[in-house]
Amino acid sequence: MSLAPRDCRAGAGASYDGGVSNGTVLLAEPRGYCAGVDRAVVAVERALEHFDETVYVRHEIVHNKFVVDRLREQGAVFVDEVDEVPEGALVIFSAHGISPKVREMAEQRSLRTIDATCPLVTKVHKEAVRFAREDYDILLVGHEGHEEVEGTAGEAPEHIQVVNSPDDAVNVTVRDPDKVVWLSQTTLSVDETMETVDRLRERFPTLQAPPSDDICYATQNRQVAIKKIAPDADLVLVVGSPNSSNSVRLMEVALEAGAKSSHRIDSVAELREEWFEGVGTVGVTSGASVPDVLVQDLLVELSARGFGDVKPVRTATEDLMFSLPRELRQEMKVRGASDDRTKPTGERATAES
Ligand code: 2E7
Ligand code: F3S
C-alpha cells in the first residue's frame, strides 16, 4: 500500500459556520501530510522499488510509527547511525536533516546517500551557515535533543546555542549583544516561540529575526486550523506519534486555544472511553507526518460512538509539492524509470489532503 496522502473522504460537505450540535466532529483542514513528508516517504518507496539492494534509512524517515512500520515491512532497514550501514551501501537521510558531521561519516564509509531532508529545513541550515560566517551569535529556538535541532546546530556548533523555552531565555549569554540573531526549529508552537523571542529581545533589543519564517507553512497552517476549532471543542483528538514534535504541539495549541480537553493518539486503538464523558463536539486533526488513512479510521470509530456529523473547518489550502531528492532522480533517470512527481521544487501542484 502506498503511504501517499488519501483524498479526504469525510472532508467533503458543509462548511463550519461557528455553530455546534451534539455528536459533531470539527475536522481540521489542512491536517496531515506536508510536502516535506510526502517527498521523504515517497523517496523511500521509490528507492525500495528501483534499487536491487538493501535500502538503509538513518533514523525514522518521519516521526510516525505507522509509516515507519509499513516501510520496514516493505524492506527498509532503519538505523540510528551511519556506522551501522555496511561500507558502500545505500542510505537515506530522514526529513529532519543531518549535521555536516553525519555527512562526513557517510563519506568516510563510502556510502551512497539520498538526502530526504525537507527543503524548508535546508533553508534554515543555510541561514545558520550564513550568520555563522558573518560571526553572529545564533540563538536557535528549539527542543534540545530533537533530530532537526541537532542537524541545524551541527552546521555551526561554535556559534549556535539552543533556547528551549521562554524561561530558558535568561540563560543565554552572547559575545556581542548587538550581533545576535534568532532562528528556530520548523515545528514549534508559533505563539510560544514569539514569547521566547520577546524575552530574548528584552535582553538583546537589536536581536535580528530570520530572513523568512523558520516555522514552516505546514506547522503554521495546522495550528491556525486547530485554533479555530478549539474554542468549540469539548475534546480535541490529534493523530500523531509521541515523538512527533509538530503533533504534540497541536495538542498543546488546542488546549491553549480553549479546547476543554485534548489527547494525542497514534491510532484509534488508543482512544479511551472516559475521554468522551459529557462530550458533544470533538475536534480532529493530525500531525504533518500522519497518513490520512489513520484519521479516516478515527472518523469511522467516532461515527460508531455517535459523532457522525463531520464538519470540515478549512483555514488554508495547500498545494505545495517538492521534487524528489536529486540523487534519487538521477538514479531513476539512469534506470529509465519515469516519475510523474518530479516537478521542480516549489512548483505548485494539487497535493491537498
Ligand atoms: C521533518 C521536519 O516527522 P515529524 O513528526 O517531525 P517533527 O519534527 O514534528 O518531530 O513531522 C514531519 C516533519 C517535520 N519537521 C519532518 Cl524537520
Ligand atoms: Fe518540512 Fe514543515 Fe513538513 S519543515 S517536513 S514542510 S512540517
Side-chain angles (χ1 to χ4, degrees), residues 9-324:
R9 282 165 282 162
S15 65
Y16 176 55
D17 60 6
V20 293
S21 62
N22 279 348
T24 300
V25 173
L26 302 178
L27 181 61
E29 296 184 354
R31 64 176 183 278
Y33 267 25
C34 60
V37 165
D38 178 58
R39 171 184 189 257
V41 173
V42 171
V44 179
E45 289 175 341
R46 294 284 194 275
L48 287 167
E49 213 174 300
H50 293 294
F51 290 78
D52 297 327
E53 60 184 299
T54 305
V55 173
Y56 292 87
V57 183
R58 180 185 177 273
H59 289 179
E60 294 190 351
I61 185 75
V62 296
H63 292 150
N64 185 264
K65 183 175 166 1
F66 179 88
V67 170
V68 170
D69 286 350
R70 276 300 165 100
L71 292 173
R72 192 179 283 121
E73 280 168 19
Q74 290 169 28
V77 175
F78 290 89
V79 296
D80 289 334
E81 274 315 331
V82 289
D83 60 12
E84 296 166 50
V85 181
E87 298 255 350
L90 175 73
V91 65
I92 302 182
F93 296 134
S94 84
H96 313 93
I98 51 162
S99 71
K101 253 200 188 127
V102 173
R103 208 179 292 281
E104 276 165 33
M105 277 163 60
E107 268 168 32
Q108 280 164 14
R109 296 182 73 72
S110 306
L111 302 183
R112 286 165 303 125
T113 59
I114 294 173
D115 188 356
T117 302
C118 175
L120 301 181
V121 174
T122 304
K123 186 202 76 165
V124 181
H125 282 222
K126 285 182 178 160
E127 290 169 359
V129 169
R130 174 161 77 81
F131 283 109
R133 203 183 297 127
E134 294 173 19
D135 204 27
Y136 276 77
D137 276 9
I138 300 167
L139 308 180
L140 178 62
V141 182
H143 297 133
E144 197 113 46
H146 188 280
E147 281 150 28
E148 180 189 347
V149 170
E150 284 178 356
T152 307
E155 289 286 358
E158 66 292 356
H159 284 86
I160 294 181
Q161 46 191 311
V162 177
V163 185
N164 275 288
S165 66
D167 289 343
D168 202 19
V170 291
N171 300 322
V172 172
T173 56
V174 298
R175 292 166 303 160
D176 175 357
D178 285 324
K179 208 166 179 191
V180 190
V181 63
W182 71 272
L183 303 178
S184 86
Q185 190 177 342
T186 56
T187 52
L188 301 180
S189 151
V190 173
D191 293 339
E192 188 179 298
T193 303
M194 286 310 128
E195 202 184 320
T196 305
V197 171
D198 287 346
R199 300 249 194 117
L200 289 170
R201 196 159 275 132
E202 278 168 22
R203 300 197 49 213
F204 313 115
T206 62
L207 179 70
Q208 283 195 42
S212 62
D213 285 359
D214 285 349
I215 299 180
C216 74
Y217 80 97
T219 299
Q220 295 194 35
N221 286 346
R222 281 150 192 68
Q223 289 178 14
V224 169
I226 204 58
K227 272 179 160 180
K228 181 159 183 198
I229 289 171
D232 296 321
D234 302 308
L235 165 66
V236 166
L237 295 172
V238 179
V239 185
S241 289
N243 59 341
S244 168
S245 161
N246 77 91
S247 303
V248 175
R249 299 293 84 75
L250 285 172
M251 191 183 66
E252 295 168 356
V253 166
L255 290 170
E256 196 68 33
K260 292 199 183 69
S261 63
S262 182
H263 298 282
R264 181 208 50 75
I265 51 171
D266 237 321
S267 74
V268 73
E270 291 179 2
L271 285 179
R272 294 226 203 115
E273 199 59 46
E274 61 266 28
W275 294 347
F276 292 91
E277 273 165 31
V279 167
T281 300
V282 181
V284 171
T285 188
S286 54
S289 47
V290 180
D292 211 52
V293 63
L294 299 178
V295 175
Q296 300 304 326
D297 287 350
L298 174 61
L299 294 178
V300 169
E301 175 61 25
L302 287 174
S303 180
R305 288 172 181 258
F307 297 88
D309 181 16
V310 179
K311 291 188 160 83
V313 180
R314 177 170 291 287
T315 51
T317 299
E318 296 178 351
D319 59 1
L320 184 66
M321 181 187 257
F322 294 128
S323 57
L324 290 174

